Amino acid sequence: MSTVTDDKRKAPAGERVADWADGRLGIYSLAKANMRKIFPDHWSFMLGEIALYSFIIIILTGVYLTLFFHPSMNEVVYHGSYVPMQGIRMTEAYASTLEISFDVRGGLLIRQIHHWAALIFLAAMFVHMMRVFFTGAFRKPREINWLFGFLLFVLGMFTGFTGYSLPDDLLSGTGVRFTQGAILATPVVGTYISFFLFGGEFPGHDMVARFYSIHILLLPGIMLGLVVAHLILVFYHKHTQFAGPGRTNKNVVGMPLLPVYMAKAGGFFFLVFGVIAAIAGLFTINPVWALGPYRPDQVSTGAQPDWYMGFAEGLIRVMPGWEINLWGHTLALGVFIPLTLFGLVLVALAVYPFIESWVTGDKREHHILDRPRNAPTRTALGVAWITGYVIMLLGGGNDIFATHFHLSINSITWFVRISYFVGPVLAFVITRRICLGLQRRDKDKVLHGRESGIIKRLPHGEFVEVHEQLSRQELHTLTAHEQYAPAEIGPSVDENGVERKVTRGQKLRAKLSKGYYGEGNQIPKPTADEYKEITSGHGHH
Amino acid sequence: MSSQEIPEKNLPSEQDTAHGAVAVAEDPFADPGLPPHKPRVQDIDERAAKRSERTVALLFTLSMLSTIGFIASFVAFPVEKIVYVWPLGHVSALNLSLGVTLGLALFCIGAGAVHWARTLMSDVEVADDRHPIEADPVVKAKVMSDFAAGAEESAIGRRKLIRTTMFGALAMVPLSGVVLLRDLGPLPEEKLRHTLWGKGKQLINMNTNEPLRPEDVAVGSLTFAKPEGLEEDNHEFNNEIAKAALMIVRLQPQDIKDKRELDWSHQGIVAFSKICTHVGCPISLYEQQTHHVLCPCHQSTFDLSDGARVIFGPAGHALPQLRIGVNDEGFLEALGDFEEPVGPSFWERG
């Protein structure tokens, strides 16, 4: 810059730094595309932000915890400041967790922020996924981002599990034992996987060190990469938006990143962090000091995993203890079926976008979100999935329900066994009816206007309620959604009278398509003709 | 299965759209375009805007004060100080004050920034165009020809020997990584079939660390035992107790329904593995009247008066029984190891 003499004005320092960086990183081109990038506004778009921010909080607090935690299973006799545990044999992992909780100033707070943030991270991802599911935001071009998000959720579950196993306390050790028992049930390779994972027999001397490297390096490393990819794709695809006046599939309406979303999203990070810090200060989470160190021959009652593992716990609890012994081998179906279901329940989430796009045959880009009511079958499927999930969550807490509500554990277990099959079906039917009802109400509102609450008496004595016409904006918003016609197989012979071969896949698709979009499975939206006929005043009111 | 099977007419047509489109008289549902911006009170009243500014500044100031409070708490409260705070109960004064001050310090920054954005920054909505993600045909053609040129120049299609051996090499080299995992642990061999129990091993009371006599075991009580010689400071204590943990109850011999159970008992005293056959939790709940034991983890229930068979819950088979007797000194002893593997089922169990 010093060679430029004819430029009288000396650029301000900030600009000179930016120039320097631009010459090396090309930041101006990057900023041109992104600094004033438009983001649409809706409360449900914050759910993903909560997940992102709690992930950042987990990394920050996790780094702090590694400074004090000793990931070792060497046995020591405790002589620290927590009196009830003095003189007790425990692993260094457990002893250092006690030290973090009782001797390091602020250590307990950071430990509790870390744990609370993990619970909230998983919950936020779960609800964020529901938002994306029920509004159809997973459709083209966002299927891959759905998969990234799905992987983040699943990896988050395992990172959480390996994390809460590290203190090697009685509760977490019980959870690890359960996992080892489940691994043993895997046919053919289970015993080997268990011996390799634990470095020999359970619990062995390697578990904490191995879980530690998985928990702080392997899984979070992958997750960090996925988070970055997830965000890049959000930027690249531009955010989805709900239908409304001026909002189309070809534009994105909202406010710019700088300054509005910089302030809102940046501020929201502090809100999330602040709330989690306050929760961690006020409410104890995972009091590892309460039950003592892990011993394979001891257990407490009311043992529960963190919430996101609860449905797996339910599956394993309510499954009947089937076991097959043949040819010198044992197939522990009572454990292996829950283990398989655990995977299938999750995989169903991952593949759903591809199934729906196969049924619709729609290969266009979708940037306008569906209101859940306008996709009744999808919404009903989602609610059915959640119902099954929640029922298993209840099953995972069957002992807690039994003791708190004085119920028989056997009846709760049987209730869960039956309702796992009945509940989702009921939920599906009810949800779809509700969606169709809401569609009918929307149609009614479009055609007949809104009930104004004003009762008018006509000259001949009849009372009628005055309906208020919707504004053009509202009319557009309520009719902007797309409706598919069901796919048909077509005639069984082609135009030359030769029999057409109809594959089983085509038949299945036609059937599914009818289930999604057939008569009675969606309410045809009002047409302009219907509207005009009614509003032209030929005595329909 | 491809999309072509669904005719284009079956796909719904997109509503007509152009941004800011003027409503066509014929279509009452057409997009009327972005509604006009409604000003907020701060946009028209400078006094209201000033009030917002003061609110934001107050929040940021509160945050600064909270940070000072955080540092003060860190210095002031000893780490072991416990205080009673309603309704939380007895809590660590340091943890509570650090959490609340840090929470406030962070929350106020967030609240200030959001309030600033909502009341003072422009809330005029702007539309940005989207562009199709798919490349246009010209770009695609260029990429395809580039790729073809690259592939041609490398001659990977023609020189099949190179291609095949390269795939072979790349497929094989990860095997080294797999092989390296071999020493993660020893092979299972027969390890899950044996425990520390054996002929002549005395039953040691887990609580008192003393050998058990038959008269120590009262009717209706549940006693936990370990094999003689296994001490807590033993390096392999956890691995061994994970298999050897034993529970002992005394039943009336006439209550024992299972013939083998009666044969393996001593004066109605029976010894069963404490490790649940479901996924390995230690069973620890005993119902005296019915002689049922319940695993608190997954509620498998076993009937100790009937060979410890499963009467409820997810366990797949009965608890293994240990054959016991009394030695010359009058102490309970094992008459051998368990005859079947203890704990959860595994493929080789048979």
Side-chain angles (χ1 to χ4, degrees), chain A residues 301-338:
Chain A
T301 54
Q304 288 288 314
D306 275 2
W307 78 266
Y308 44 86
M309 285 294 179
F311 83 102
E313 180 82 10
L315 286 167
I316 204 110
R317 283 187 184 196
V318 304
M319 179 73 198
W322 299 342
E323 206 163 274
I324 298 174
N325 283 294
L326 271 182
W327 303 298
H329 289 292
T330 301
L331 187 56
L333 289 175
V335 182
F336 185 60
I337 288 177

Side-chain angles (χ1 to χ4, degrees), chain B residues 17-269:
Chain B
T17 48
H19 158 227
V22 184
V24 186
E26 286 87 62
D27 185 2
F29 304 150
D31 183 0
L34 274 182
H37 174 244
K38 285 201 195 84
R40 296 160 301 190
V41 61
Q42 288 87 353
D43 295 330
I44 36 184
D45 182 0
E46 182 53 29
R47 285 214 328 258
K50 270 265 177 260
R51 252 196 324 272
S52 287
E53 186 184 348
R54 281 197 299 273
T55 309
V56 174
L58 177 72
L59 284 164
F60 288 159
T61 313
L62 263 177
S63 169
M64 288 189 268
L65 294 174
S66 298
T67 300
I68 294 170
F70 181 91
I71 297 167
S73 313
F74 191 90
V75 177
F77 291 112
V79 67
E80 66 278 358
K81 188 175 171 64
I82 302 292
V83 289
Y84 180 82
V85 179
W86 188 88
L88 303 173
H90 291 279
V91 293
S92 154
L94 184 65
N95 187 61
L96 179 68
S97 54
L98 291 183
V100 171
T101 49
L102 179 64
L104 258 181
L106 294 162
F107 190 90
C108 288
I109 295 179
V114 171
H115 194 64
W116 180 10
R118 290 176 63 95
T119 59
L120 295 171
M121 292 180 187
S122 162
D123 71 335
V124 178
E125 286 195 314
V126 191
D128 223 357
D129 287 337
R130 288 182 194 274
H131 309 285
I133 308 288
E134 273 172 9
D136 66 48
V138 181
V139 173
K140 185 183 167 186
K142 165 86 170 100
V143 171
M144 286 302 170
S145 74
D146 282 359
F147 180 77
E152 178 55 34
E153 285 164 25
S154 74
I156 193 165
R158 270 182 299 126
R159 308 218 181 269
K160 295 217 167 56
L161 192 59
I162 292 183
R163 193 182 62 184
T164 316
T165 50
M166 179 186 75
F167 285 151
L170 289 176
M172 280 184 69
V173 77
L175 287 178
S176 317
V178 176
V179 169
L180 281 173
L181 295 178
R182 165 60 190 84
D183 279 351
L184 276 174
L187 294 182
E189 291 162 343
E190 297 292 293
K191 295 189 186 72
L192 292 181
R193 296 188 175 275
H194 303 298
T195 73
L196 268 190
W197 292 107
K199 184 151 177 49
K201 287 248 179 168
Q202 294 186 76
L203 276 59
I204 309 295
N205 187 324
M206 195 65 100
N207 290 332
T208 60
N209 220 17
E210 298 292 331
L212 279 161
R213 291 174 180 279
E215 50 272 31
D216 298 337
V217 185
V219 173
S221 71
L222 177 69
T223 312
F224 298 131
K226 62 179 181 177
E228 156 188 12
L230 180 61
E231 295 303 328
E232 276 190 30
D233 53 8
N234 194 315
H235 187 59
E236 296 299 322
F237 176 79
N238 271 349
N239 286 0
E240 292 303 338
I241 202 69
K243 291 188 297 184
L246 201 64
M247 58 183 173
I248 302 162
V249 297
R250 186 194 278 270
L251 311 172
Q252 302 295 351
Q254 65 271 21
D255 287 346
I256 299 178
K257 296 175 203 128
D258 184 80
K259 167 96 175 45
R260 196 184 76 164
E261 182 182 351
L262 187 63
D263 292 345
W264 287 13
S265 68
H266 174 79
Q267 295 170 355
I269 299 175

Side-chain angles (χ1 to χ4, degrees), chain A residues 191 239 247 297 323 532, chain B residues 26 125 130 274 317 348:
Chain A
T191 320
H239 208 286
R247 289 150 208 267
D297 62 327
E323 206 163 274
K532 274 183 249 172
Chain B
E26 286 87 62
E125 286 195 314
R130 288 182 194 274
K274 193 188 175 187
H317 59 268
E348 297 84 355

Side-chain angles (χ1 to χ4, degrees), chain A residues 237-255:
Chain A
H237 291 144
K238 297 182 176 164
H239 208 286
T240 50
Q241 60 190 353
F242 280 101
R247 289 150 208 267
T248 74
N249 206 32
K250 296 203 168 63
N251 72 6
V252 50
V253 178
M255 280 173 271

